[in-house]
């Protein structure tokens, strides 16, 4: 996550076991998108919540300190 004044940029990278951004290379980004955080209860550590929404979707929320950002993931049916 990259916080900004207008919103955050969320980045999912293809490199497993990468800690922090010390060796980050944007060439390995699998997905990058903008999201707007909202005020939330304090979370000391990064918290991931995944709530199923039917058989092919989920609502994912990431929370840290007093901010939370949520987005929907949907799997295309074949």
């Amino acid at each position: 996550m990259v916080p900004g004044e207008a919103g955050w940029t969320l980045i999912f990278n293809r490199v497993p076991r990468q800690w922090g951004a010390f060796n980050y290379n944007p060439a390995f980004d699998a997905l990058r998108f903008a999201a707007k955080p909202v005020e939330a209860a304090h979370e000391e550590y990064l918290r991931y919540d995944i709530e199923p929404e039917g058989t092919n979707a989920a609502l994912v929320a990431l929370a840290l300190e007093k901010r939370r950002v949520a987005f929907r993931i949907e799997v295309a049916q074949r």
Side-chain angles (χ1 to χ4, degrees):
M1 294 182 285
V2 180
E5 287 188 33
W8 290 0
T9 300
L10 277 67
I11 304 166
F12 290 85
N13 191 273
R14 296 187 309 254
V15 179
R17 298 187 183 109
Q18 181 175 224
W19 187 85
F22 302 108
N23 297 314
Y24 171 68
N25 183 341
F28 295 109
D29 288 355
L31 177 64
R32 176 185 276 255
F33 61 95
K36 291 223 180 246
V38 296
E39 291 287 325
H42 185 267
E43 290 289 340
E44 186 69 24
Y45 302 100
L46 178 60
R47 177 180 172 145
Y48 298 83
D49 290 318
I50 302 172
E51 296 291 329
E53 291 191 339
T55 58
N56 66 331
L59 182 66
V60 178
L62 309 173
L64 180 62
E65 294 182 354
K66 293 186 178 187
R67 298 279 188 208
R68 180 177 185 269
V69 64
F71 54 93
R72 182 177 161 88
I73 295 177
E74 188 170 328
V75 177
Q77 294 186 1
R78 295 180 182 190

